[in-house]
């Protein structure tokens, strides 16, 4: 993880922090904040990500807005986030990380109608659009399968082919059952 952080600081043009200075100065929460920033911006998380992610998600207050503010303050401890290009990444992570996987989007996009019906909307929440739309986030966005009023739902990108096949089979069976009733 240390090599990834120092590599990030060398590779990203907006950091401006020399590697030697970064190696000597990053400690404690400052180091964990930089590691959390890296870990939350990628879909592949090595075991070195466990402590910084645990620290990030341990920041919790009674009101959710206070929790987000506390997490933002934590990420602000990393010297890299003061660079202009990092502001959008930091905000996308605070607002989207942990809330933009398929399960969370399905829950956030659940809609109940006045007619007593319910469905999962096919539009991703704006904080997830910002999270995945940030050019620095390396995670794959979930994909919507199907039609909203016909059992559509969000799935992880790697599961899309199987989910589409299952959805198509489910719709074909429903159509066949409807044909038999008519």
């Amino acid at each position: 993880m240390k090599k990834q952080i120092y590599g990030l600081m060398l590779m990203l043009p907006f950091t401006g922090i020399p590697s030697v200075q970064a190696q000597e100065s990053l400690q404690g929460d400052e180091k964990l904040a930089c590691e959390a920033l890296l870990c939350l911006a990628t879909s592949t998380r090595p075991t070195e990500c466990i402590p910084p992610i645990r620290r990030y998600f341990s920041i919790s207050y009674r009101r959710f807005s206070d929790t987000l503010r506390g997490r933002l303050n934590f990420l602000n401890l990393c010297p890299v986030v003061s660079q202009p290009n990092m502001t959008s990444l930091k905000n996308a992570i605070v607002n989207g990380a942990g809330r933009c996987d398929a399960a969370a989007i399905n829950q956030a996009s659940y809609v109940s109608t006045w007619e007593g019906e319910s469905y999962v909307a096919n539009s991703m929440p704006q904080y997830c659009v910002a999270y995945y739309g940030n050019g620095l986030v390396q995670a794959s966005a979930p994909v919507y399968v199907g039609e909203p009023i016909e059992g559509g739902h969000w799935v992880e990108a790697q599961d899309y082919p199987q989910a589409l096949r299952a959805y198509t089979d489910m719709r074909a069976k429903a159509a066949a059952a409807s044909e038999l009733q008519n």
Side-chain angles (χ1 to χ4, degrees):
M1 179 59 74
K2 288 179 186 176
K3 290 179 184 175
Q4 290 175 331
I5 290 174
Y6 306 136
L8 175 72
M9 291 182 179
L10 284 174
M11 292 173 16
L12 296 178
F14 44 77
T15 61
I17 300 173
S19 176
V20 174
Q21 178 187 353
Q23 289 177 0
E24 294 173 359
S25 65
L26 292 179
Q27 297 176 6
D29 273 352
E30 187 178 70
K31 177 181 172 226
L32 286 174
C34 289
E35 290 175 349
L37 191 62
L38 255 178
C39 292
L40 292 168
T42 183
S43 59
T44 56
R45 296 189 179 129
T47 56
E48 292 91 355
C49 284
I50 294 171
I53 289 177
R54 183 177 293 141
R55 172 69 177 97
Y56 176 81
F57 284 113
S58 73
I59 299 169
S60 179
Y61 297 97
R62 178 172 285 185
R63 292 192 309 177
F64 190 63
S65 61
D66 293 338
T67 297
L68 294 181
R69 190 174 11 269
R71 290 176 180 174
L72 181 66
N73 291 339
F74 172 69
L75 291 181
N76 281 334
L77 295 175
C78 180
V80 175
V81 298
S82 63
Q83 303 300 319
N85 296 354
M86 291 298 287
T87 303
S88 63
L89 174 63
K90 175 187 62 176
N91 290 333
I93 285 174
V94 167
N95 291 300
R99 299 189 304 149
C100 290
D101 62 347
I105 294 174
N106 281 326
Q107 187 175 15
S109 302
Y110 188 79
V111 177
S112 293
T113 66
W114 287 104
E115 295 82 28
E117 296 181 18
S118 58
Y119 62 93
V120 175
N122 61 354
S123 57
M124 191 178 287
Q126 282 304 306
Y127 54 85
C128 295
V129 171
Y131 178 68
Y132 290 114
N134 186 299
L136 299 172
V137 172
Q138 299 294 315
S140 297
V143 181
Y144 194 82
V145 176
E147 295 295 322
I149 58 172
E150 296 175 352
H153 59 283
W154 292 91
V155 297
E156 298 301 333
Q158 70 270 13
D159 300 331
Y160 180 74
Q162 300 89 342
L164 181 60
R165 198 171 317 111
Y167 179 81
T168 304
D169 291 347
M170 186 253 324
R171 294 300 306 142
K173 288 177 184 176
S178 177
E179 284 271 325
L180 287 175
Q181 290 179 351
N182 293 335

